[in-house]
Amino acid sequence: MESKIAVVAIIVSDVNAVDKINSLLHNFADYIIGRMGLPYKQKNVNVISVVMDAPQEIINSLSGKLGMINGVSSKVLTTK
């Protein structure tokens, strides 16, 4: 399978979701190049960016699973 570079942008508005997100990201660790998390206390949210090198179906799987967590929204940007 062809691998793509992707950036997954995650906004966490429910702090109770953090453990689920971290567990999920751990499951995809083989495909994650790096991640950065920033707490934005003024708006009471956390912003996480995850850079991946993975086949499209793996990227879609992570994005779909993130979307099923309450208090989490995410978007993916991939190379062509």
Side-chain angles (χ1 to χ4, degrees), residues 16-37:
N16 294 319
V18 172
D19 288 337
K20 290 179 185 177
I21 295 167
N22 284 330
S23 176
L24 188 57
L25 293 177
H26 176 76
N27 292 339
F28 286 84
D30 290 344
Y31 301 101
I32 294 175
I33 298 168
R35 68 183 265 192
M36 178 179 60

Side-chain angles (χ1 to χ4, degrees), residues 1-6 28 30-33 52-59:
M1 277 184 250
E2 181 185 346
S3 134
K4 294 186 174 197
I5 304 298
F28 286 84
D30 290 344
Y31 301 101
I32 294 175
I33 298 168
M52 301 177 72
D53 184 356
Q56 187 68 50
E57 65 186 37
I58 299 294
I59 296 165

